[in-house]
C-alpha cells in the first residue's frame, strides 16, 4: 500500500505555484486489496530543512486544506504524507513531493519592457468574417520578421539554482547559451492581454555558467498583434512586440542576484523568420540563420539598440499546462490528386504543423498549405474561407547536402492534408511528420466497445478535444480559434472524462472573470477579440453573418460562467471552482434578470399584452439577440452561410429563458454547496418563477409547446420547464418530432447535449439508442461513415452526395455525445462531487457485446466494463480507494454474485428504488467481477 500522485492545487510539482495557501492531494495505491479506505493521514511541509507546517486528519485526501497562513513566494517546499487505511494498522511509507511558489507580487515587477527596433504591425482585417484577403501582398511583405533579442551578462560563479521569469507582448521562446529554454510553444499563451498577462517561470540552473552568458529571445506576433479571430484582424492588443524578464540566480552561498534587461540588450530583424503569424503561417529562410546568436562570442555589434519601458500591465503567474508538441503523426501517404497536385495525407485531422526533411539547392523555396479535407473528386480543398486564414508555410533551403529538417515555430494549423509546391525531389511520406500541438493535458480517460463505429466516434471526440484545448478552449483550430464561451459550456462534461482540464479551465475562467463587464456581461468569446468594438473597424451588420455582431449577452454562451464551474465541481469535487466564480455568476444572473425586465421578444413588439403577460415576460430573458439553438440542422445549410442566422431568429426567444432559468437552478445548488443558504433559497424561488412564467406564456391549453422544433422540446423537458401535468404532452411532441425527422436528430448546439438524456428520462430509451446508432445525416455515425477523424461543425459538412462544404471539420461542440458513451453505455456517473460516491449504471440493453471504460477520478481510475456471456452479462467494476460505487442495473436485470464473491459481505444488496435500481449493489474499493442476469 502506498501513496502516489501527490499534487498541490491540481498540479504535480509545479515550479511556479500561484497560490500561497495550496491544498494538498494524494492517491492511495492499494494493489489488489478491496475496501481500502484512508482513515487517517499525517502531512509535513518543509522548506530548506525547516518544518513549516504539520497536519493530521481523517479520510480526506483530495484538496486537503491544512495551512492556516500564507506560504512565502518564490520558495521551494518539500512535503510528505503518509496514511493509515481501514484494513491495515501500519501506516503507508511516507510519500514525498516538492513545489515552488511563484513570484506572486508581480506588481513589484521592476524589470522593464525591451522594445526592439521594429516596424509597428499594421491594421488588417475584415468585418465580414467570410471575406477573402483584402491585402494580397505576399506574406513576407504584409507581415514582419520575428525579432531576435540578445543580452550578454557575466556571472561570478555557476549558480546553485536559477529561475528565469519572462513574458512578452507577442509570443516568444528563449535560449540561454545556445540552448532552448523549456519546451513550450507560444508562450506566454493566450489571454485577454489588456486585462492580464502571464509570466512563465523556467528552471535554468543547468544552462548558466561562471563568466559570460547570453540570454536570447525570439519574438513573433502571436495572438497579441497577429491576424486573429474570425475577422482576421491584426494588432488587437498592440502594434509593437516587447519582452520582459528577470533571471534570478542563487549562488552556492544562498545570495541571489537578479538580472533584468538593460540598455545593453541588442535586437535584430535579420534572422531566418522572415514572417510569422499564428494564423497565416510562417516563412523561414534557412540561409539567414544566425549561428551562435544566443551564445557568448557572437558578434552582435551590427544589431540595433532597444528601448526600455516600464511594465504597467497586470502580470499574473501562468497557471496550468503550457502548450507543447504533444504527439507526432507520420504521414500516411503522398498523393497526386486528379488535378495533378501533390498532397501529403497525415490520416488524421489535427491542430499542429508539419516537420519535414528536404534536400535541394540553397534558395529553393518549398510551400505547404494546410486543409482538413479533400473535395468529392479527391482534390485539395481549402475548407476555411475568410480573411487571413492562409495556413501557409514557406521554407527556403540553405542547401545542405545531407538534407535539412524544418518545423515552423510561431504558427499552427488545423489540417489533415498539406499541399506541397516547390519540392525539389520526389517527396516520400517518410519526409513528413505532423507535429500535434495542444495544451499538454493528461488524457487518462478511456472508452472502448465492441462497435468499431462508436470507438471511432469516441476517437473523433478526443481528437477534437485535443485540437481545441490549445491555450484556450476554442471552437475550431483553423478558422476562428476563439474562446467561444458557448462551445466549452457545451463540451465541458465530455472534456472532464477524457482529460484533467482543471487547471486549463481555471486559467480560462480567470480570463472570463477579468473580461466580465461591469454590468455583469460575460462575453460571447474569451479572450474577446478587441476588434469587435474598435472604432476603426466597425463590424458591418449588413454583411452575411453580420447580425452576429449585435449579439452581446448570449443565452448558453454567457451561462458558461455558471455551467463550466458547476461541471468542474461535480467532476473534481473542487468547491473552489464555485467560490472563485460565484460573484461573477451572480452578476451574470442579475444582468439576465435586468434585461428580462427591460425587453420583450421582438415578436411581441407592438402587441397588446395583458398585465399578467407583461408580468410574466418581465421574468423571461428573451428580448436580447442571441445565437439561439445555433446550427439547428433543419435551419442551417453548410453550403449557404446566410442560413446560419435562421436558428437564432427562430429560437432565441426560447433559449433565453431556458438558460436563465437553468443558471438560477444551478446557482441555487452552488450557493447551497458554498453554505449560502438564504441565497440558495432565493435562487431556487426565482428559478421556479421563471419556469412558471414560461409555462404560462408558452404552453397551450393542452400543455403543448407552440414552437415545433425538436431542440425546444428537448430543453423544455431537460431543464424542467414543463409542469408535471404536461410532461407527457411535451414528451409526445418530442417523440413525434424525432419520428417526423426520420428518427434523426434536429438539435443545435444548445439542445444537443440534452437530446438523448431528455428521451432517456422520459422513458424513450429505444428511441435514444436509435438516434445514437442512426447513420443517416444528421447523425454522429453519419460522420463516422464518411471517414471523419474529428467532430464536424456541421452535420452535413460532407453531403450524402459527397459534396464537401466550407466549414470546420474540427469543432467539439456536437461531440458532447461522448459524455453519453461514458455516462450511459459504460454507466459511469458521479453521485457526489469528485466521485467520492459513484454510480455505475450501464445500459445493458444497448446493442453491444461489450464496453470497457474508465474515468480518472481524483481518487484514481473508476472503471466500468461489461461483456455479454450468453444471455447473461459479466460486469467488472474497479472502484478507487476511499470511494464507493453503487451498481444499478436497468429494470429487468439482476446481479448475481458468483465464485469467490458469492455471499461476500463486501458487496451488499442496495435498496431497489427508481427505474434504474432494479438491483442496486454497493461496492467498496477494489476490483469486482459480477454477473448480471435477466430476471
Ligand atoms: C463558431 C462557433 C461559435 C459560434 C457562435 C461560430 O462561428 O465557430 O462554434 O460558438 O460562431 O455562434
Amino acid at each position: 500500500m502506498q501513496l502516489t500522485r501527490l499534487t498541490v492545487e491540481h498540479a504535480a510539482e509545479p515550479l511556479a505555484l500561484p497560490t500561497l495557501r495550496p491544498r494538498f492531494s494524494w492517491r492511495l495505491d492499494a494493489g489488489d486489496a478491496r475496501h481500502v479506505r484512508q482513515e487517517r493521514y499525517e502531512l509535513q511541509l518543509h522548506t530548506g530543512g525547516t518544518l513549516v507546517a504539520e497536519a493530521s486528519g481523517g479520510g480526506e485526501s483530495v484538496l486537503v486544506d491544512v495551512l492556516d497562513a500564507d506560504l512565502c513566494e518564490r520558495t521551494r517546499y518539500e512535503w510528505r504524507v503518509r496514511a493509515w487505511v481501514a484494513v491495515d494498522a501500519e501506516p503507508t511509507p511516507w510519500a514525498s513531493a516538492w513545489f515552488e511558489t511563484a513570484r506572486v507580487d508581480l506588481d513589484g515587477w521592476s524589470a522593464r519592457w525591451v522594445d526592439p527596433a521594429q516596424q509597428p504591425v499594421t491594421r488588417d482585417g475584415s468585418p465580414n468574417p467570410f471575406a477573402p484577403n483584402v491585402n494580397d501582398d505576399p506574406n513576407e511583405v504584409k507581415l514582419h520578421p520575428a525579432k531576435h533579442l540578445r543580452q550578454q551578462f557575466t556571472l561570478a560563479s555557476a549558480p546553485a539554482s536559477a529561475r528565469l521569469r519572462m513574458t512578452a507582448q507577442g509570443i516568444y521562446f528563449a535560449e540561454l547559451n545556445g540552448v532552448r529554454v523549456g519546451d513550450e510553444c507560444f508562450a506566454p499563451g493566450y489571454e485577454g492581454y489588456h486585462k492580464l498577462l502571464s509570466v512563465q517561470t523556467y528552471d535554468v540552473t543547468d544552462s548558466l555558467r561562471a563568466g559570460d552568458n547570453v540570454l536570447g529571445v525570439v519574438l513573433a506576433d502571436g495572438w497579441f498583434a497577429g491576424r486573429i479571430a474570425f475577422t482576421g484582424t491584426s494588432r488587437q492588443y498592440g502594434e509593437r512586440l516587447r519582452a520582459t524578464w528577470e533571471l534570478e540566480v542563487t549562488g552556492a552561498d544562498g545570495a541571489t542576484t537578479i538580472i533584468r534587461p538593460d540598455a545593453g540588450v541588442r535586437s535584430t530583424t535579420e534572422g531566418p523568420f522572415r514572417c510569422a503569424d499564428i494564423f497565416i503561417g510562417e516563412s523561414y529562410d534557412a540561409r539567414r540563420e544566425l549561428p551562435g546568436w544566443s551564445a557568448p562570442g557572437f558578434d552582435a555589434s551590427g544589431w540595433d539598440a532597444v528601448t526600455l519601458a516600464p511594465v504597467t500591465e497586470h502580470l499574473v503567474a501562468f497557471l496550468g499546462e503550457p502548450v507543447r508538441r504533444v504527439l507526432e503523426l507520420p504521414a500516411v501517404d503522398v498523393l497526386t490528386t486528379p488535378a495533378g497536385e501533390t498532397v501529403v495525407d497525415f490520416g488524421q485531422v489535427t491542430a499542429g504543423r508539419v516537420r519535414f526533411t528536404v534536400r535541394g539547392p540553397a534558395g529553393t523555396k518549398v510551400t505547404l498549405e494546410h486543409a482538413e479535407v479533400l473535395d468529392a473528386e479527391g482534390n485539395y480543398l481549402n475548407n476555411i474561407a475568410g480573411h487571413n486564414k492562409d495556413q501557409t508555410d514557406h521554407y527556403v533551403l540553405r542547401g545542405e547536402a545531407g538534407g535539412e529538417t524544418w518545423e515552423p515555430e510561431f504558427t499552427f494549423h488545423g489540417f489533415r492534408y498539406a499541399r506541397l509546391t516547390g519540392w525539389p525531389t520526389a517527396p516520400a511520406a517518410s519526409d513528413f511528420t505532423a507535429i500535434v500541438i495542444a495544451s499538454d493535458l493528461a488524457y487518462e480517460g478511456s472508452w472502448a466497445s465492441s462497435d468499431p463505429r462508436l470507438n471511432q466516434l469516441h476517437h473523433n471526440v478526443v481528437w477534437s478535444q485535443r485540437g481545441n484545448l490549445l491555450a484556450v478552449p476554442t471552437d475550431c483550430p483553423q478558422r476562428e480559434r476563439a474562446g467561444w464561451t458557448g462551445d466549452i459550456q457545451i463540451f465541458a462534461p465530455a472534456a472532464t472524462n477524457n482529460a484533467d482540464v482543471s487547471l486549463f479551465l481555471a486559467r480560462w475562467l480567470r480570463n472570463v472573470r477579468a473580461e466580465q463587464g461591469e454590468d455583469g456581461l460575460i462575453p460571447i468569446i474569451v479572450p474577446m477579440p478587441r476588434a469587435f468594438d474598435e472604432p476603426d473597424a466597425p463590424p458591418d451588420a449588413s454583411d452575411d453573418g453580420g447580425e452576429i455582431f449585435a449579439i452581446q449577452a448570449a443565452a448558453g454562451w454567457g451561462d458558461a460562467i455558471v455551467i463550466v464551474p458547476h461541471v468542474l465541481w461535480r467532476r473534481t469535487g473542487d468547491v473552489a471552482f464555485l467560490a472563485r466564480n460565484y460573484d461573477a455568476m451572480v452578476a451574470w444572473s442579475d444582468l439576465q434578470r435586468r434585461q428580462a425586465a427591460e425587453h420583450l421578444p421582438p415578436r411581441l413588439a407592438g402587441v397588446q399584452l395583458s398585465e399578467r403577460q407583461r408580468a410574466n415576460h418581465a421574468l423571461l430573458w428573451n428580448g436580447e439577440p442571441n445565437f439561439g439553438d445555433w446550427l439547428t440542422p433543419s435551419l442551417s445549410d453548410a453550403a449557404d452561410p446566410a442560413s446560419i442566422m435562421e436558428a437564432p431568429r427562430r429560437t432565441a426567444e426560447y433559449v433565453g429563458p431556458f438558460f436563465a432559468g437553468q443558471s438560477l437552478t444551478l446557482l441555487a445548488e452552488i450557493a447551497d454547496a458554498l453554505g449560502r443558504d438564504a441565497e440558495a433559497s432565493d435562487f431556487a424561488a426565482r428559478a421556479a418563477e421563471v419556469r412558471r412564467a414560461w409555462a404560462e406564456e408558452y404552453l397551450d391549453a393542452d400543455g403543448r409547446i407552440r414552437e415545433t422544433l425538436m431542440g425546444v422540446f428537448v430543453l423544455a423537458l431537460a431543464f424542467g420547464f414543463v409542469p408535471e401535468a404536461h410532461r407527457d404532452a411535451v414528451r409526445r411532441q418530442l417523440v413525434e418530432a424525432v419520428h417526423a425527422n426520420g428518427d434523426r436528430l434536429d438539435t443545435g448546439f444548445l439542445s444537443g447535449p440534452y437530446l438523448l438524456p431528455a428521451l432517456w428520462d422520459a422513458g424513450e430509451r429505444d428511441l435514444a439508442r436509435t438516434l445514437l446508432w442512426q447513420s443517416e445525416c444528421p447523425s454522429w455515425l453519419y460522420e463516422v461513415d464518411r471517414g471523419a477523424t474529428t467532430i464536424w461543425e456541421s452535420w452535413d459538412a460532407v453531403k450524402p452526395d459527397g459534396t464537401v462544404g466550407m466549414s470546420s471539420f474540427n469543432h467539439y461542440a456536437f461531440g458532447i455525445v461522448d459524455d453519453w458513451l461514458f455516462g450511459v453505455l459504460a454507466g459511469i456517473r458521479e453521485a457526489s462531487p469528485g466521485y467520492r460516491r459513484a454510480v455505475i449504471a450501464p445500459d445493458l440493453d444497448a446493442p453491444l457485446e461489450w464496453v470497457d471504460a474508465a474515468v480518472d477520478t481524483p481518487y484514481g481510475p473508476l472503471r466500468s466494463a461489461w461483456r455479454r456471456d450468453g444471455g447473461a452479462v459479466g460486469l467488472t467494476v474497479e472502484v478507487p480507494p476511499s470511494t464507493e460505487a453503487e451498481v444499478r442495473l436497468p429494470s429487468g436485470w439482476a446481479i448475481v454474485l458468483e465464485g469467490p464473491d458469492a455471499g461476500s459481505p463486501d458487496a451488499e444488496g442496495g435498496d431497489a428504488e427508481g427505474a434504474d435500481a432494479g438491483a442496486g449493489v454497493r461496492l467498496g474499493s477494489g476490483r469486482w467481477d459480477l454477473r448480471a442476469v435477466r430476471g
Side-chain angles (χ1 to χ4, degrees):
M1 206 124 347
Q2 53 172 345
L3 303 184
T4 60
R5 308 268 291 233
L6 275 59
T7 56
V8 281
E9 293 295 325
H10 304 277
E13 306 197 323
L15 199 58
L17 181 73
T19 316
L20 295 185
R21 216 175 288 190
R23 296 162 300 164
F24 299 81
S25 307
W26 56 90
R27 291 188 187 177
L28 254 170
D29 176 355
D32 293 335
R34 283 176 173 174
H35 276 286
V36 176
R37 193 192 312 237
Q38 178 185 302
E39 295 288 323
R40 197 169 103 71
Y41 73 86
E42 266 178 24
L43 185 151
Q44 293 174 343
L45 178 68
H46 292 86
T47 185
T50 310
L51 185 68
V52 178
E54 208 170 5
S56 59
E60 41 314 348
S61 57
V62 174
L63 299 161
V64 185
D65 194 0
V66 299
L67 299 176
D68 44 26
D70 278 0
L71 301 178
C72 300
E73 62 166 2
R74 292 185 289 155
T75 304
R76 186 181 179 91
Y77 291 90
E78 282 90 30
W79 64 288
R80 57 181 202 157
V81 60
R82 61 179 177 165
W84 285 258
V85 301
V87 293
D88 211 334
E90 287 297 307
T92 64
W94 288 100
S96 45
W98 60 267
F99 62 92
E100 285 185 26
T101 49
R103 186 196 216 288
V104 174
D105 172 26
L106 287 156
D107 293 340
W109 182 268
S110 59
R112 283 173 294 168
W113 283 122
V114 176
D115 185 336
Q118 62 188 295
Q119 295 289 322
V121 177
T122 49
R123 173 47 68 95
D124 181 17
S126 167
N128 178 343
F130 303 106
N133 288 357
V134 289
N135 181 344
D136 282 331
D137 289 341
N139 291 346
E140 294 83 344
V141 175
K142 75 174 169 189
L143 307 174
H144 299 142
K147 286 95 192 127
H148 285 60
L149 316 177
R150 185 176 192 280
Q151 182 178 27
Q152 182 148 343
F153 55 93
T154 309
L155 294 178
S157 57
S161 129
R163 299 288 177 266
L164 173 65
R165 297 186 197 93
M166 179 176 286
T167 191
Q169 291 182 323
I171 47 176
Y172 74 91
F173 71 89
E175 293 183 2
L176 262 171
N177 297 324
V179 177
R180 170 93 177 211
V181 173
D183 56 0
E184 35 191 286
C185 305
F186 313 138
Y190 185 17
E191 322 240 14
Y193 300 119
H194 57 307
K195 299 284 183 181
L196 41 91
L197 184 57
S198 278
V199 173
Q200 285 64 53
T201 302
Y202 308 93
D203 181 351
V204 293
T205 312
D206 295 337
S207 307
L208 296 168
R209 49 199 180 219
D212 286 344
N213 291 270
V214 170
L215 171 66
V217 182
V218 186
L219 260 178
D221 293 356
W223 294 280
F224 182 81
R227 272 95 171 136
I228 63 167
F230 72 7
T231 56
T233 310
S234 51
R235 66 164 168 80
Q236 300 217 26
Y237 298 92
E239 61 184 14
R240 298 187 69 85
L241 307 188
R242 311 193 284 186
T244 182
W245 56 83
E246 61 173 30
L247 175 60
E248 181 169 350
V249 181
T250 308
D253 57 356
T256 55
T257 339
I258 298 190
I259 292 151
R260 301 185 178 88
D262 59 22
V265 178
R266 289 287 174 273
S267 76
T268 185
T269 54
E270 288 304 316
F273 299 95
R274 298 322 300 152
C275 66
D277 182 276
I278 196 152
F279 276 46
I280 294 179
E282 184 167 309
S283 298
Y284 188 94
D285 187 341
R287 296 169 304 178
R288 302 179 65 151
E289 284 173 350
L290 304 165
W293 71 278
S294 64
F298 179 84
D299 177 12
S301 55
W303 286 29
D304 300 314
V306 301
T307 309
L308 298 175
V311 174
T312 54
E313 285 69 16
H314 178 41
L315 301 185
V316 293
F318 183 82
L319 179 67
E321 305 81 356
V323 176
R324 293 198 176 98
R325 299 165 176 83
V326 294
L327 287 170
E328 300 198 352
L329 301 172
V332 295
D333 208 353
V334 176
L335 314 164
T336 302
T337 64
E341 296 177 327
T342 305
V343 172
V344 187
D345 178 6
F346 294 94
Q348 171 66 52
V349 171
T350 187
R353 54 207 184 198
V354 179
R355 183 183 66 213
F356 59 76
T357 301
V358 62
R359 192 164 14 174
T364 312
K365 181 175 181 176
V366 300
T367 299
L368 267 75
E369 295 157 275
H370 302 73
E372 291 175 328
V373 282
L374 301 179
D375 70 10
E377 282 74 46
N379 284 313
Y380 180 83
L381 175 75
N382 177 6
N383 59 299
I384 296 306
H387 194 75
N388 288 330
K389 305 291 182 280
D390 311 31
Q391 301 214 105
T392 302
D393 299 325
H394 301 289
Y395 177 75
V396 179
L397 278 67
R398 71 176 102 72
E400 221 148 282
E404 50 206 275
T405 297
W406 181 69
E407 175 196 333
E409 177 68 51
F410 292 116
T411 194
F412 72 93
H413 310 298
F415 69 105
R416 167 175 166 173
Y417 299 95
R419 175 163 64 184
L420 210 60
T421 39
W423 201 261
T425 53
S430 57
D431 296 334
F432 305 91
T433 304
I435 307 297
V436 179
I437 295 193
S439 285
D440 194 4
L441 309 177
Y443 279 78
E444 294 189 293
S446 61
W447 196 93
S449 77
S450 51
D451 184 341
R453 297 200 304 165
L454 289 189
N455 298 346
Q456 182 69 37
L457 174 63
H458 170 66
H459 166 103
N460 296 356
V461 175
V462 171
W463 276 88
S464 280
Q465 176 167 346
R466 190 176 276 127
N468 280 296
L469 299 187
L470 195 166
V472 297
T474 62
D475 56 337
C476 52
Q478 8 56 7
R479 190 182 61 215
E480 292 152 54
R481 315 184 187 186
W484 285 96
T485 47
D487 300 49
I488 187 61
Q489 176 274 111
I490 295 159
F491 188 69
T496 64
N497 297 328
N498 292 320
D500 181 359
V501 291
S502 307
L503 291 174
F504 177 85
L505 289 178
R507 183 177 68 250
W508 180 73
L509 285 164
R510 179 164 81 175
N511 277 275
V512 178
R513 294 193 299 275
E515 294 223 37
Q516 182 170 34
E518 275 172 22
D519 57 356
L521 181 84
I522 297 293
I524 51 177
I525 307 173
V526 174
M528 182 68 189
R530 304 198 75 202
F532 275 59
D533 44 34
E534 277 184 15
D536 62 339
D540 184 348
S542 63
D543 279 320
D544 278 353
E547 287 162 77
I548 272 185
F549 291 99
I551 297 173
Q552 300 239 326
W557 270 252
D559 296 287
I561 189 59
V562 182
I563 297 173
V564 173
H566 182 266
V567 168
L568 290 168
W569 166 58
R570 291 293 309 173
R571 297 289 167 92
T572 68
D574 188 355
V575 80
F577 284 114
L578 306 181
R580 265 187 236 124
N581 296 293
Y582 184 73
D583 291 346
M585 298 176 192
V586 174
W588 165 249
S589 182
D590 285 347
L591 170 112
Q592 292 174 316
R593 169 153 68 170
R594 282 196 311 275
Q595 290 188 340
E598 284 162 14
H599 300 286
L600 281 175
R603 182 179 59 86
L604 298 178
V607 175
Q608 196 66 35
L609 298 177
S610 72
E611 206 156 299
R612 185 182 189 97
Q613 285 173 312
R614 268 205 308 278
N616 280 341
H617 275 290
L619 295 170
L620 300 178
W621 182 57
N622 53 6
E624 302 299 308
N626 68 48
F627 298 110
D629 198 9
W630 185 246
L631 296 185
T632 298
S634 60
L635 302 179
S636 51
D637 178 350
D640 173 17
S643 70
I644 217 163
M645 293 311 286
E646 195 48 33
R649 268 177 228 124
R650 183 89 179 263
T651 59
E653 183 176 342
Y654 284 88
V655 299
F658 287 155
F659 275 84
Q662 183 64 5
S663 278
L664 284 169
T665 299
L666 296 178
L667 262 164
E669 201 188 322
I670 289 166
D672 182 59
L674 293 173
R676 295 167 169 266
D677 299 346
E679 287 156 67
S681 6
D682 182 45
F683 288 126
R686 278 169 58 195
E689 272 294 273
V690 169
R691 285 175 172 77
R692 181 201 51 74
W694 185 86
E696 280 183 24
E697 295 305 313
Y698 290 92
L699 293 179
D700 67 16
D702 301 329
R704 293 168 68 88
I705 302 177
R706 285 188 207 101
E707 177 53 79
T708 54
L709 285 166
M710 193 187 292
V712 172
F713 306 141
V714 164
L715 286 171
L717 287 170
F719 287 174
F721 272 65
V722 184
E724 202 44 53
H726 298 312
R727 283 186 75 83
D728 201 48
V730 177
R731 178 192 60 79
R732 269 184 279 117
Q733 282 189 288
L734 171 58
V735 170
E736 282 160 21
V738 174
H739 290 325
N741 202 40
D743 287 354
R744 294 168 309 161
L745 60 81
D746 189 30
T747 39
F749 264 39
L750 294 183
S751 62
Y754 305 98
L755 171 62
L756 301 184
L759 287 167
W760 195 259
D761 294 343
E764 299 290 342
R765 298 187 168 193
D766 282 338
L767 193 51
R769 293 186 194 104
T770 302
L771 281 166
L772 178 59
W773 269 277
Q774 173 61 261
S775 40
E776 299 297 315
C777 186
S779 72
W780 290 284
L781 294 185
Y782 170 82
E783 294 185 8
V784 167
D785 291 345
R786 296 286 165 306
T789 61
T790 38
I791 299 294
W792 303 344
E793 175 179 28
S794 305
W795 300 101
D796 61 348
V798 177
K799 300 244 186 231
D801 70 3
T803 316
V804 182
M806 298 292 291
S807 68
S808 152
F809 285 78
N810 200 355
H811 245 71
Y812 54 44
F814 290 137
I816 183 56
V817 70
D818 202 45
D819 195 46
W820 187 259
L821 305 188
F822 279 91
V824 174
L825 293 186
I828 302 175
R829 300 176 197 164
E830 83 283 2
S832 70
Y835 296 90
R836 182 104 202 201
R837 285 185 300 110
V839 166
I840 301 292
D843 178 14
L844 301 186
D845 298 315
L848 289 167
E849 282 304 304
W850 60 268
V851 175
D852 191 342
V855 169
D856 193 52
T857 80
Y859 301 88
L862 171 63
R863 174 172 170 231
S864 164
W866 58 269
R867 180 180 286 275
R868 289 194 201 286
D869 176 9
V873 169
L875 281 168
T876 298
V877 178
E878 286 179 32
V879 183
S882 298
T883 73
E884 57 179 48
E886 184 181 342
V887 179
R888 288 193 207 155
L889 300 188
S891 59
W893 289 90
I895 289 179
V896 285
L897 298 169
E898 287 183 338
D901 290 335
S904 157
D906 292 327
E908 307 160 18
D911 32 319
E913 259 182 68
D916 262 339
V921 168
R922 279 198 295 276
L923 304 175
S925 77
R927 178 188 160 123
W928 301 92
D929 293 303
L930 313 169
R931 209 169 150 74
V933 293
R934 288 187 196 273

